[in-house]
């Protein structure tokens, strides 16, 4: 009996993933991708870095 171990390299991880039976692989993602909301800076966020230039 072999003991399952965590892969230690990217190559080992890829090899492990290649062993996943195709019957377990879905054709479509379980959660459909969603568009990211636009990034905005509010006053509270701006206040956190307002004096940042003084440190440079």
């Amino acid at each position: 009996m072999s003991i399952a171990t965590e892969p230690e390299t990217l190559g080992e991880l890829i090899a492990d993933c290649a062993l996943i039976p195709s019957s377990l692989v879905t054709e479509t993602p379980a959660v459909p991708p969603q568009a990211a909301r636009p990034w905005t800076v509010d006053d509270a966020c701006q206040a956190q870095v307002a004096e940042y230039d003084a440190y440079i």
Side-chain angles (χ1 to χ4, degrees):
M1 179 171 105
S2 66
I3 298 174
T5 60
E6 293 293 320
E8 294 183 14
T9 66
L10 183 57
E12 289 177 359
L13 178 60
I14 291 169
D16 287 351
C17 290
L19 298 175
I20 297 173
S22 60
S23 62
L24 297 177
V25 178
T26 60
E27 292 286 327
T28 57
V31 177
Q34 297 177 355
R37 294 185 338 185
W39 184 69
T40 60
V41 177
D42 60 13
D43 291 337
C45 183
Q46 177 65 31
Q48 291 178 350
V49 296
E51 302 298 319
Y52 183 72
D53 288 338
Y55 294 105
I56 297 177

